[in-house]
Amino acid sequence: MISTTPAYQPPPSVPKLSLTNVHKAFGQKVVLDGVSIDIRPGESVVVIGGSGTGKSVLLKSILGLITPDSGSILIDGQETVGLRGRKRDTVLRKFGMLFQGAALFDSLPVWENVAFGLIQGEGMARGPARDKAVEKLAQVGLGPEVADLFPSELSGGMQKRVGLARAIADEPEIIFFDEPTTGLDPIMADVINDLIVKCVKELGATALSITHDMASARKIADRIAMLHKGRLIWTGPASQVFDSGNPYVDQFVHGRASGPITMAVRA
Amino acid sequence: MNSTNPVTAFLDFLALVGRVLLAFFNRVGRLSTFTAMAVFHCLTPPFYPRTLLRQMVEIGYYSLPVVGLTTLFSGMVLALQSHTGFARFAAEGAVATVVVISMTRELGPVLAGLMVAGRVGASMAAEIGTMRVTEQIDALSTLSTNPFKYLIAPRLLAGALMLPLLVLVGDIIGVFGGYLIGTYKLGFNPGNYIQRTWEFLETMDVVSGLVKASTFGFIIALMGCYNGYTSRGGAQGVGQATRNAVVSASILILVFNYLITELFFAR
């Protein structure tokens, strides 16, 4: 039987990513307490929030690395909570992710890191995959001489760039950035921010980032949401974040020690 | 402990027993699920021949010096000990037979297993544990690569395939060690010694040793992978995983050594 069904094309009104009432607790500790947000195709959303507020858990829940206790996560209108095996792989193919510590495979040279998804995921031959990797490295401002180095030979900023090249290598529709500027000096942080904006725009991808670096958030976000105690307590355009009228957001974006937010001791 | 009520004290004691038992069964359950998953992924595609080859070289080839030295000296000391012991009842002629049967049935597989557990099991746990805490395992998943297939299956297969080869080489070196001592120090006629070595050796002696070796190889890789994969909490967690991998593999090797001997030779 020949399948005549065309590839599924979501109508433009369907959000790329839609979270409804997502809950996750580890033992007694509630990390996500009913998170809901819609992200439109091509939009760049940044979630801000203090350390230990569940930002990473949010990203990992969407990727399926962590299974939420309840709630719904739609990607292109398709439910993804509980997907496993091949179906999960198909969904994951739409994603690219830049990890906080870059998470490069230290047993592989830089080019194999960048081409990993192409070789293992899509079965591309090593020769063409290497060319593609060099091309992606150029996109993040790294020359071909970097291709044969190992990740441990690179500085933190360079590792982030390689991580970015790997995240965009198989041209994902959605890219996640987990604290892209953490641990970098301000100049390198700005370089990474510029690269993120450039790469996301070139791909026309939808981006979801988490950070506590306000300079970075302002630069890469169309829309900013603040996560506090497992809930999104404020969402608004990036331009409004500094006069949101929300005391929690005010305290966070101005970095004040006193205010309604108190620091949690335990992770 | 100044609880005056004997009933409360007794209930506390029961609760303690219950907690320990539950924790134990919890661990056994997790390990069993992990093992079942790992074996399943060993048998289903995609396979990663490059990683398998790399692990085979790592486990087989690079463990040769350690295993060779261990078995050489064991064979030598075995000849010396059995000679002085057997001299008490004028049975020195049995030295060659004792050396070859002890080496192939017991010392070859057990000593090689324990040495490789220290060398390979530890490095697997440390490597996979570091990949876990630096999010490299999460990165594998986001690149549509199943960590069980890419990381764990090749190691298990390499362990189960290479240990028998190592033990075969170790057996030969051990017997050679016994021959050296027997002919140069104890004054045996070389031809006589070799003939005595072959005379009473049965196929089953060698085969049982190789079956043991394969089982031990699987156990070493399984413990290394399991402890690494489930490690938590930074450098300390990785250290703990490494220690647990070596200790649990060593104990399981000795337990399974008994069980397999029982299976082959108990009448």
Side-chain angles (χ1 to χ4, degrees):
Chain A
M1 199 176 95
I2 299 160
S3 166
T4 49
T5 331
Y8 176 68
Q9 286 293 331
S13 58
V14 171
K16 192 76 186 165
L17 199 62
S18 172
L19 277 67
T20 316
N21 217 5
V22 175
H23 284 81
K24 179 71 192 177
F26 294 103
Q28 299 285 313
K29 165 116 181 138
V30 177
V31 182
L32 299 180
D33 191 13
V35 172
S36 302
I37 191 171
D38 283 351
I39 301 175
R40 293 186 300 275
E43 191 183 18
S44 172
V45 172
V46 169
V47 175
I48 56 172
S51 311
T53 49
K55 300 194 300 289
S56 294
V57 175
L58 181 66
L59 287 194
K60 288 183 178 172
S61 300
I62 301 171
L63 290 170
L65 299 171
I66 293 175
T67 312
D69 298 333
S70 65
S72 146
I73 297 173
L74 304 181
I75 295 165
D76 288 329
Q78 185 201 356
E79 180 62 61
T80 62
V81 172
L83 283 188
R84 305 182 68 176
R86 295 257 158 76
K87 284 182 181 159
R88 169 63 64 187
D89 284 350
T90 317
V91 171
L92 281 174
R93 224 153 267 173
K94 297 181 180 179
F95 285 92
M97 174 146 176
L98 174 59
F99 284 86
Q100 190 176 342
L104 300 176
F105 306 125
D106 36 34
S107 58
L108 299 176
V110 163
W111 78 266
E112 263 190 80
N113 265 283
V114 176
F116 196 90
L118 302 170
I119 297 174
Q120 310 296 356
E122 296 176 13
M124 191 186 268
R126 292 172 68 81
R130 193 194 151 98
D131 297 341
K132 186 99 186 226
V134 171
E135 182 192 313
K136 292 291 165 189
L137 285 170
Q139 270 186 32
V140 298
L142 294 175
E145 71 281 0
V146 179
D148 289 310
L149 298 178
F150 279 86
S152 57
E153 297 174 87
L154 302 176
S155 70
M158 294 298 149
Q159 290 187 358
K160 277 274 162 76
R161 287 189 193 211
V162 175
L164 181 59
R166 183 173 73 179
I168 61 170
D170 44 6
E171 282 147 24
E173 298 166 29
I174 308 168
I175 312 182
F176 286 175
F177 300 98
D178 184 354
E179 314 219 347
T181 55
T182 299
L184 301 180
D185 67 74
I187 298 171
M188 185 53 86
D190 200 48
V191 170
I192 296 289
N193 288 333
D194 284 343
L195 282 172
I196 288 174
V197 172
K198 179 177 105 114
C199 292
V200 169
K201 218 163 254 161
E202 276 173 4
L203 286 172
T206 309
L208 175 61
S209 321
I210 58 182
T211 187
H212 45 235
D213 173 1
M214 285 314 298
S216 171
R218 226 163 19 148
K219 193 143 197 176
I220 61 185
D222 298 328
R223 199 147 60 100
I224 292 182
M226 171 141 175
L227 190 66
H228 179 64
K229 293 204 167 157
R231 289 164 179 271
L232 290 175
I233 54 165
W234 184 83
T235 313
S239 53
Q240 282 177 19
V241 74
F242 281 95
D243 45 14
S244 59
N246 183 313
Y248 291 88
V249 178
D250 269 353
Q251 187 195 346
F252 187 84
V253 298
H254 293 109
R256 299 194 192 105
S258 61
I261 305 173
T262 47
M263 288 297 131
V265 178
R266 296 178 68 98
Chain B
M1 289 287 278
N2 46 11
S3 164
T4 43
N5 189 341
V7 178
T8 332
F10 184 62
L11 285 180
D12 282 349
F13 171 71
L14 284 187
L16 179 74
V17 173
R19 259 200 303 278
V20 171
L21 271 179
L22 280 179
F24 173 74
F25 285 121
N26 189 352
R27 266 191 78 101
V28 173
R30 276 168 201 274
L31 179 59
S32 309
T33 334
F34 185 91
T35 313
M37 289 257 289
V39 171
F40 171 77
H41 286 293
C42 282
L43 304 174
T44 48
F47 302 109
Y48 295 97
R50 287 177 74 93
T51 6
L52 177 62
L53 199 69
R54 188 189 289 187
Q55 289 302 322
M56 287 171 78
V57 171
E58 179 60 38
I59 297 174
Y61 183 71
Y62 288 112
S63 298
L64 267 179
V66 174
V67 170
L69 279 173
T70 315
T71 47
L72 177 71
F73 283 105
S74 305
M76 286 162 66
V77 83
L78 201 58
L80 211 54
Q81 284 282 23
S82 51
H83 185 262
T84 49
F86 288 175
R88 292 176 196 165
F89 39 92
E92 295 98 324
V95 166
T97 317
V98 166
V99 168
V100 72
I101 290 181
S102 323
M103 277 322 291
T104 52
R105 280 193 184 190
E106 280 297 321
L107 290 177
V110 171
L111 289 175
L114 292 177
M115 296 312 283
V116 174
R119 212 191 82 85
V120 175
S123 79
M124 277 183 189
E127 188 183 351
I128 295 181
T130 307
M131 291 187 75
R132 165 61 76 196
V133 300
T134 55
E135 296 188 304
Q136 290 180 48
I137 293 184
D138 288 342
L140 273 180
S141 302
T142 64
L143 294 166
S144 308
T145 304
N146 187 323
F148 269 84
K149 286 201 194 318
Y150 184 77
L151 288 178
I152 294 169
R155 285 173 168 77
L156 291 180
L157 285 174
L161 290 175
M162 293 317 282
L163 250 250
L165 290 183
L166 265 177
V167 165
L168 204 59
V169 175
D171 284 349
I172 294 168
I173 295 177
V175 169
F176 176 69
Y179 168 85
L180 282 183
I181 295 299
T183 50
Y184 288 100
K185 196 169 165 70
L186 306 175
F188 283 94
N189 173 291
N192 209 356
Y193 188 95
I194 291 173
Q195 194 223 328
R196 281 283 190 149
T197 298
W198 281 114
E199 204 174 348
F200 296 103
L201 183 67
E202 289 173 19
T203 316
M204 204 38 89
D205 296 331
V206 179
V207 169
S208 73
L210 297 186
V211 170
K212 281 180 181 180
S214 185
T215 315
F216 298 167
F218 183 83
I219 289 172
I220 292 164
L222 182 70
M223 287 299 127
C225 292
Y226 173 75
N227 285 291
Y229 197 81
T230 54
S231 68
R232 290 279 177 279
Q236 199 189 5
V238 175
Q240 222 167 51
T242 310
R243 183 190 63 210
N244 289 347
V246 177
V247 171
S248 55
S250 305
I251 292 175
L252 282 179
I253 283 174
L254 296 173
V255 171
F256 273 83
N257 180 44
Y258 176 79
L259 294 177
I260 297 172
T261 310
E262 175 96 25
L263 203 68
F264 268 95
F265 299 110
R267 307 229 188 267

